[in-house]
Amino acid sequence: AREASQILGSHMALVSILSLMSWFLRLVGSSILAVIAGSTAWFVATRREWLMPAAMEIQRQLEVSGFPTLQQQLVLLLAELQAVSPEFLGLLTAGLMLLVNQAVLVTVKCTACTVLYCLLWDGSDGVLDASHVPE
C-alpha cells in the first residue's frame, strides 16, 4: 500500500485530472441519461391508449403459448401503469436511472484508476515492457 501511494502520489496531477474529469462526466452523463429515461417513461405513461392494443395482443399470445406466469405479470404491470401518475413514474424512473448509472460509472472509474496504477507501476522503471510486475 505504501508503494502504491508513492507511485500515485508522484503522479498526483495525472490522478487529479482523471478524477476531476471522471466526476464531471459522471455528473453530466448521468443527468442526461436520467432526464431521457424519465421523459421517456412519462411520455409512454401519458400515451397509455397506444400501449393497450399491443399489450392485449401480447397477453393473448402469452395465454395461447402457455406462459401463465408471464401473462399474470403483464396484467399486474398494466394495472400498476393505470394506477400510477405519469409524473411520478417519470420522476421515479429518472431517480432510479441516476442511481444505477452512478453505480456503473463509479465501477468504471475504479477500473480506470486501477489500469492507470498498473501503467504507472510498469513505467516506474522507465520502460513500458510489463516485466516490472507488482508484488
Side-chain angles (χ1 to χ4, degrees), residues 6-83:
Q6 287 174 349
I7 289 174
L8 292 175
S10 65
H11 296 22
M12 190 180 323
L14 184 62
V15 174
S16 298
I17 288 171
L18 174 69
S19 295
L20 183 63
M21 287 180 62
S22 69
W23 174 82
F24 176 74
L25 292 174
R26 272 195 346 246
L27 178 68
V28 171
S30 295
S31 300
I32 290 171
L33 286 176
V35 167
I36 290 171
S39 299
T40 303
W42 171 83
F43 181 77
V44 168
T46 57
R47 308 301 191 269
R48 293 177 184 146
E49 64 275 359
W50 294 357
L51 294 176
M52 286 307 158
M56 294 304 168
E57 178 62 26
I58 292 171
Q59 184 178 357
R60 192 181 66 74
Q61 291 294 329
L62 288 173
E63 185 178 5
V64 169
S65 301
F67 293 105
T69 305
L70 288 177
Q71 180 194 10
Q72 292 169 355
Q73 293 297 319
L74 181 62
V75 169
L76 290 173
L77 177 65
L78 292 174
E80 288 177 10
L81 187 59
Q82 294 293 333

Side-chain angles (χ1 to χ4, degrees), residues 86-104:
E87 293 81 14
F88 177 74
L89 185 63
L91 287 173
L92 181 67
T93 303
L96 291 176
M97 175 61 87
L98 193 63
L99 290 175
V100 169
N101 197 6
Q102 283 293 320
V104 169

Side-chain angles (χ1 to χ4, degrees), residues 122-134:
D122 186 43
S124 65
D125 64 351
V127 180
L128 290 176
D129 58 357
S131 64
H132 187 80
V133 179

Side-chain angles (χ1 to χ4, degrees), residues 89-122:
L89 185 63
L91 287 173
L92 181 67
T93 303
L96 291 176
M97 175 61 87
L98 193 63
L99 290 175
V100 169
N101 197 6
Q102 283 293 320
V104 169
L105 291 178
V106 164
T107 304
V108 169
K109 178 192 175 260
C110 291
T111 304
C113 285
T114 303
V115 170
L116 176 65
Y117 167 72
C118 291
L119 182 67
L120 293 174
W121 182 290
D122 186 43

